[in-house]
Amino acid sequence: METTALQADLDQEAYAAESQSIGNLVEQTQAFAPSDPGLAVHAFFTEHQSAEGVVILEGQAPVGLIMRNDFYQKIGTLYGRDIFLSRAVKLIMNTRPLVVDVSVDIATIGLIAMNRPHDQLYDLVVITENEQYSGVVSVKRFMIELSQNREVEIKLLKRQKEILHEANETEIRNRKQIEEKSQELREKNESIKNLMDNAGQGFLSFGQDLAVSGEYSLECVQIFRVPMEGRNFLELMVKHVSPETLQNMSRVFESVFASGKSLREKVYISLLPPEFDIYGKTVSVAYKIIHQGEQKKMMLILTDVTEKRKLEARMTEERNNVRMVAKALTKQSDVNLALEEFRRFAPNEARAMVQAIGEPTAALAEIFRLVHTYKGDFAQLGLHNTAANLHAMEDALAALAARPHCPDTDELVGIVAGWDGRAIIQDDVNILTDILGKSFFEKDERFQVSAEKLQEIEARVHALADGPERQGILLALRRLRLCPLKGLVAEYQDYLQALAGRLGKSVSPLCVSGDDVFVEKESVQKFVKSLVHVIRNMIDHGIETPEDRLESGKPEQGRIACAIGQSGSMVCLRVSDDGQGIDVAKVLHLAVSKGLVAPEQARDMPPEAVYGLLFADSFSTKDEVSALSGRGVGLSAVKAEVERLGGAVRVSSKPGHGSTFEFHFPLG
């Protein structure tokens, strides 16, 4: 009994030495906000010479750390004082300090702290309690505490010698128990081996009860900031995912543990989220099923991919910028014209348009159409930031239109008056300016001989006496303002290929054929720009995927063609594709559900009338709105532009063979 009591005392002392909370070592230091100037930190360090560092807080959450030595090394560099003392401390702080919950034991924190990068080895450890800043622990104080713990362990070893002889007497009695425990240890060792095979990443496992096993890596503590053993995994995720995602994960885990077939398990696992956002970090997750005898467990392998995703985002941004610059170099005039037109539109022309239309619903629909068209124009020209800003404007307008009561004219005027056209395009203008210089926006050939100047010269020539010479000059001047319609349409070539690639479609180069029709660019430019909606719909809705095309006996590449013809003073522009055609039944079903057509009217509606429904405001066959389509205003905008020219549109389609849009308008 004495030996047992002595062993109990030893166990209690060992447990106290190993699991002592870090809370006993917490000290307070000065805290600053990310926006505070570096001069404030300098003043604090000057006044408190013993202070090792300061913590940067957003509210009560730690977001950074500044150590005294790091601070003065940075401001001691050339221009360092000028750069950092007068600017926000977020520019100089360590954004990834070691942050742990006060409940984590000293031994675990010690392992994590000693595995930090060499230049951060002596940094303060930031302590939180319920995710709120609690204080810091200095490495010096921490090492002293560890040293004292080691002394306790030495004392325990000496005292343990006193009970060695008792162990011999109890060995036989406990052999059976040891064998039972050995089996448990072998199962645990198997689990640890599976986990350690993925060393260098965070890993944890749980069984059907979703309680996290004790064999999890230290990376998990750094990711979740709390000890995890015994905690329900879904409860750990409550703060980091939506309730819908949490509910879906719960159902998937339940199905995985209930299933006995590996193929079905893989299908279930594919439904789980591949990434999470945890405390500002992007964490990639791989799910594995492991078996320990009769027991099934789920293992999660966690990888911090924050920097990788940032790099991918920067690379995507750079690719978009390169495309934008390439487009700008080849279409300088179009870029400048589009920017200039939008500056006039937002807010001045938009405000005047709302006031002129008067009726709020019609005004909102017209503004919506124009914003949608501008978005397509800028996307075609490669100005991706502007296109994204306009997509956000569309979202706001869509929310406005979805309200039970449409805003009155005064409210709508106030909304569009708040638009800042220059701010909306500023990001792309800055990129073009940085790369191409300010001269890019100053060398626009439109200002060398403007259309207005040509018209003024024509008016003077008209005043001359009639004759062959006068007619020849007028014809020459008019041709200066004319350009081939084929050339304007052919500019969609790059856009067609880029959009097809984004949608996973394969489309051959745009084919433009027919008569050489010359038009005044200023008069038809808005109509030609609106054709982007037709081409987008053909690629998105009409052209099938390469697999579907091959299965139906078609060439792998889809085809979109444009044919131009002239008959007297009328022009016919025909855009066609060889896709799947227009689904009349689907269009009618959606039209009835949107209240555009009565059910009894839909039963006897001929196909030509059904095609006309595609041009109705807010009509779309898309279930969701994306940056590409789904608003239901694209084809409506095309119809409005061709009618502005005094023309009309006609649609024909054959299921399985494609669709054709014919635009007829006077030459002008």
Side-chain angles (χ1 to χ4, degrees):
M1 293 293 294
E2 293 179 358
T3 303
T4 304
L6 180 59
Q7 181 64 55
D9 291 341
L10 290 173
D11 291 344
Q12 185 174 0
E13 289 183 30
Y15 177 81
E18 292 179 359
S19 61
Q20 182 177 355
S21 171
I22 194 68
N24 298 330
L25 308 180
V26 172
E27 301 172 338
Q28 296 300 316
T29 187
Q30 185 69 18
F32 292 87
S35 58
D36 287 342
L39 194 59
V41 176
H42 173 58
F44 172 78
F45 280 149
T46 302
E47 185 177 351
H48 302 81
Q49 293 295 324
S50 61
E52 296 180 57
V54 296
V55 177
I56 310 303
L57 302 180
E58 277 190 0
Q60 288 299 313
V63 296
L65 176 71
I66 300 178
M67 297 298 294
R68 173 187 290 271
N69 290 340
D70 292 343
F71 179 80
Y72 285 108
Q73 284 178 3
K74 289 180 179 177
I75 69 170
T77 61
L78 184 62
Y79 307 121
R81 298 181 71 86
D82 295 333
I83 293 174
F84 297 114
L85 287 185
S86 61
R87 301 179 71 184
V89 295
K90 65 182 180 181
L91 299 175
I92 200 173
M93 69 182 184
N94 173 10
T95 59
R96 302 186 68 179
L98 176 55
V99 181
V100 295
D101 191 87
V102 70
S103 60
V104 180
D105 61 85
I106 291 178
T108 299
I109 296 176
L111 287 173
I112 297 174
M114 292 304 102
N115 282 290
R116 290 186 293 180
H118 187 269
D119 59 343
Q120 298 178 17
L121 200 58
Y122 298 98
D123 285 4
L124 297 174
V125 178
V126 182
I127 307 301
T128 59
E129 184 170 3
N130 296 326
E131 299 183 19
Q132 303 290 309
Y133 171 67
S134 177
V136 297
V137 174
S138 71
V139 173
K140 179 180 177 181
R141 177 84 182 274
F142 190 78
M143 295 305 293
I144 291 174
E145 188 65 25
L146 286 180
S147 175
Q148 292 174 348
N149 286 347
R150 297 289 81 79
E151 292 177 2
V152 172
E153 292 174 2
I154 293 172
K155 177 182 176 182
L156 293 173
L157 290 173
K158 290 180 178 178
R159 292 180 60 190
Q160 201 161 8
K161 290 181 180 179
E162 299 174 7
I163 64 170
L164 286 177
H165 67 280
E166 184 70 21
N168 292 328
E169 297 178 4
T170 59
E171 182 178 358
I172 297 175
R173 185 173 61 250
N174 294 333
R175 186 177 298 277
K176 184 177 180 180
Q177 296 180 6
I178 292 174
E179 290 176 353
E180 294 174 353
K181 293 294 182 181
S182 295
Q183 178 61 29
E184 295 179 9
L185 288 174
R186 281 195 293 271
E187 293 178 359
K188 286 189 176 182
N189 287 336
E190 183 180 349
S191 173
I192 293 172
K193 182 180 182 301
N194 286 326
L195 295 173
M196 290 303 295
D197 286 341
N198 297 277
Q201 298 171 299
F203 52 90
L204 57 87
S205 65
F206 50 80
Q208 191 167 4
D209 60 357
L210 305 187
V212 177
S213 302
E215 299 85 8
Y216 59 85
S217 72
L218 296 178
E219 290 286 333
C220 294
V221 177
Q222 297 195 60
I223 292 173
F224 290 96
R225 299 184 178 180
V226 293
M228 306 181 67
E229 183 174 2
R231 297 200 180 201
N232 185 289
F233 177 72
L234 291 181
E235 292 178 0
L236 288 170
M237 297 302 299
V238 166
K239 303 174 184 177
H240 310 296
V241 298
S242 67
E244 293 79 11
T245 301
L246 200 70
Q247 187 177 17
N248 179 62
M249 292 173 66
S250 177
R251 287 197 295 263
V252 171
F253 288 145
E254 182 179 350
S255 300
V256 167
F257 285 110
S259 173
K261 298 181 179 180
S262 59
L263 181 59
R264 185 171 296 178
E265 290 171 355
K266 291 180 180 178
V267 174
Y268 289 141
I269 289 175
S270 68
L271 302 176
L272 291 168
E275 286 186 355
F276 297 109
D277 186 7
I278 302 177
Y279 293 117
K281 298 178 181 178
T282 302
V283 180
S284 173
V285 186
Y287 304 88
K288 304 287 184 183
I289 298 294
I290 57 177
H291 295 273
Q292 297 177 346
E294 298 296 322
Q295 187 180 14
K296 180 193 296 184
K297 283 194 172 186
M298 172 78 77
M299 181 171 71
L300 273 60
I301 305 168
L302 311 172
T303 307
D304 184 351
V305 294
T306 306
E307 296 304 321
K308 180 181 178 182
R309 293 292 178 265
K310 288 181 180 179
L311 179 60
E312 289 173 350
R314 287 196 296 268
M315 292 176 64
T316 300
E317 177 75 11
E318 185 61 25
R319 283 196 297 269
N320 289 335
N321 291 344
V322 169
R323 292 193 190 102
M324 177 169 61
V325 171
K327 287 273 190 181
L329 289 173
T330 57
K331 298 183 179 181
Q332 178 186 6
S333 179
D334 290 342
V335 169
N336 280 333
L337 179 60
L339 293 173
E340 183 181 327
E341 284 184 351
F342 187 74
R343 289 190 196 99
R344 290 199 303 266
F345 171 75
N348 298 331
E349 290 182 358
R351 181 170 49 204
M353 185 178 298
V354 172
Q355 293 170 333
I357 295 175
E359 204 284 308
T361 303
L364 179 58
E366 183 61 23
I367 292 295
F368 205 138
R369 253 196 308 270
L370 288 171
V371 170
H372 191 68
T373 300
Y374 274 121
K375 183 183 79 169
D377 293 345
F378 284 117
Q380 185 183 357
L381 292 170
L383 277 68
H384 56 95
N385 292 306
T386 303
N389 292 337
L390 290 173
H391 187 71
M393 288 173 60
E394 280 188 328
D395 286 339
L397 291 173
L400 206 60
R403 281 169 31 177
H405 302 289
C406 183
D408 57 28
T409 300
D410 290 339
E411 182 182 359
L412 193 54
V413 168
I415 290 171
V416 299
W419 290 345
D420 186 344
R422 293 185 179 275
I424 292 169
I425 64 177
Q426 195 59 50
D427 288 342
D428 288 330
V429 169
N430 288 343
I431 292 169
L432 291 173
T433 302
D434 290 343
I435 298 175
L436 301 177
K438 292 183 179 180
S439 60
F440 172 80
F441 299 101
E442 299 169 357
K443 294 178 180 178
D444 189 343
E445 64 270 20
R446 291 185 307 106
F447 297 104
Q448 296 175 8
V449 181
S450 66
E452 292 79 8
K453 178 62 70 175
L454 285 174
Q455 290 171 351
E456 179 184 335
I457 296 172
E458 282 187 34
R460 292 187 178 185
V461 175
H462 270 293
L464 299 176
D466 194 12
E469 184 177 1
R470 173 177 175 272
Q471 294 300 325
I473 295 174
L474 285 174
L475 181 60
L477 287 173
R478 187 167 183 271
R479 283 176 175 170
L480 288 176
R481 294 192 287 115
L482 298 180
C483 62
L485 183 57
K486 283 183 181 178
L488 296 178
V489 177
E491 291 182 0
Y492 280 104
Q493 179 63 259
D494 293 342
Y495 174 77
L496 181 147
Q497 295 298 327
L499 180 60
R502 288 176 62 184
L503 295 174
K505 308 290 182 71
S506 179
V507 181
S508 58
L510 178 66
C511 176
V512 182
S513 61
D515 298 336
D516 293 324
V517 178
F518 288 83
V519 294
E520 292 185 7
K521 185 176 181 180
E522 290 76 12
S523 64
V524 302
Q525 189 168 37
K526 288 187 177 180
F527 162 67
V528 174
K529 284 184 176 181
S530 73
L531 292 178
V532 68
H533 303 300
V534 178
I535 293 175
R536 181 191 301 150
N537 273 271
M538 286 182 168
I539 298 175
D540 199 4
H541 301 284
I543 302 295
E544 309 94 333
T545 63
E547 295 79 11
D548 290 341
R549 291 181 64 85
L550 290 174
E551 187 175 341
S552 61
K554 292 183 178 181
E556 182 176 355
Q557 282 193 324
R559 184 175 183 272
I560 294 178
C562 177
I564 299 172
Q566 180 179 352
S567 177
S569 63
M570 293 297 293
V571 177
C572 174
L573 190 152
R574 183 182 298 106
V575 184
S576 59
D577 69 73
D578 66 344
Q580 58 191 344
I582 299 171
D583 189 335
V584 173
K586 182 177 181 180
V587 173
L588 276 175
H589 175 74
L590 289 171
V592 171
S593 67
K594 292 175 182 288
L596 299 174
V597 177
E600 58 274 11
Q601 183 184 1
R603 284 194 292 269
D604 301 321
M605 183 172 286
E608 293 75 14
V610 176
Y611 300 150
L613 296 173
L614 297 173
F615 298 95
D617 283 336
S618 302
F619 185 85
S620 174
T621 57
K622 275 281 189 179
D623 296 325
E624 297 180 353
V625 174
S626 69
L628 293 177
S629 59
R631 299 288 189 186
V633 297
L635 294 182
S636 174
V638 183
K639 183 181 179 184
E641 287 303 327
V642 74
E643 289 178 348
R644 182 183 62 81
L645 294 176
V649 58
R650 184 169 63 209
V651 180
S652 60
S653 181
K654 185 176 181 181
H657 292 80
S659 305
T660 298
F661 286 70
E662 286 189 9
F663 300 93
H664 298 265
F665 56 91
L667 189 57

